[in-house]
């Protein structure tokens, strides 16, 4: 992945199911098609999630992604590689990343 690294990680709400409470985490890297997510919550590779976060003044809700890989680090955090699955959402994210990029 060739992500746009943020100066600081982006807080994110993670929805795994409509009948379960949302989880939380942080986006460590973000591109229009992929993201790196860090969380205390364990999720299996292959699972679909919906993310909500703010970027460059734009709010993103229900950004659908599939967990490509999941690994636990020595500090007990789970590190996930995500792939966004909706091309229309990816296009909106691409525009927001371009607006948020330092000039």
């Amino acid at each position: 992945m060739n992500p746009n690294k943020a100066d600081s990680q982006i807080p994110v709400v993670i929805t795994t199911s409509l009948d379960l409470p949302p989880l939380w985490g942080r986006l460590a890297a973000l591109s229009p098609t992929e993201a790196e997510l860090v969380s205390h919550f364990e999720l299996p590779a292959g699972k679909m999630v919906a993310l909500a976060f703010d970027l460059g003044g734009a709010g993103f809700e229900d950004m659908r992604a599939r967990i490509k890989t999941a690994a636990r680090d020595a500090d007990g955090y789970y590190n996930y590689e995500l792939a966004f699955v909706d091309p229309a959402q990816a296009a909106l994210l691409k525009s927001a990343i371009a607006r948020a990029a330092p000039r």
Side-chain angles (χ1 to χ4, degrees):
M1 175 164 76
N2 184 11
N4 290 332
K5 294 280 185 178
D7 289 337
S8 62
Q9 297 184 354
I10 301 167
V12 63
V13 175
I14 309 158
T15 302
T16 60
S17 171
L18 293 177
D19 58 340
L20 295 174
L23 309 174
W24 56 268
R26 298 206 177 261
L27 295 175
L30 183 62
S31 80
T33 58
E34 298 179 313
E36 292 176 14
L37 171 67
V38 179
S39 180
H40 269 298
F41 301 97
E42 182 177 12
L43 300 166
K47 182 159 186 68
M48 290 291 293
V49 295
L51 307 178
F53 58 92
D54 292 325
L55 177 66
F60 289 87
E61 299 289 330
D62 196 35
M63 285 288 295
R64 292 178 303 283
R66 180 173 306 284
I67 299 173
K68 293 179 5 179
T69 64
R72 188 170 187 195
D73 67 20
D75 295 324
Y77 286 91
Y78 292 91
N79 295 276
Y80 301 101
E81 272 188 56
L82 307 177
F84 294 116
V85 298
D86 185 324
Q89 289 180 326
L92 293 172
L93 184 55
K94 182 177 181 178
S95 295
I97 290 170
R99 285 191 309 273
R103 299 188 194 274

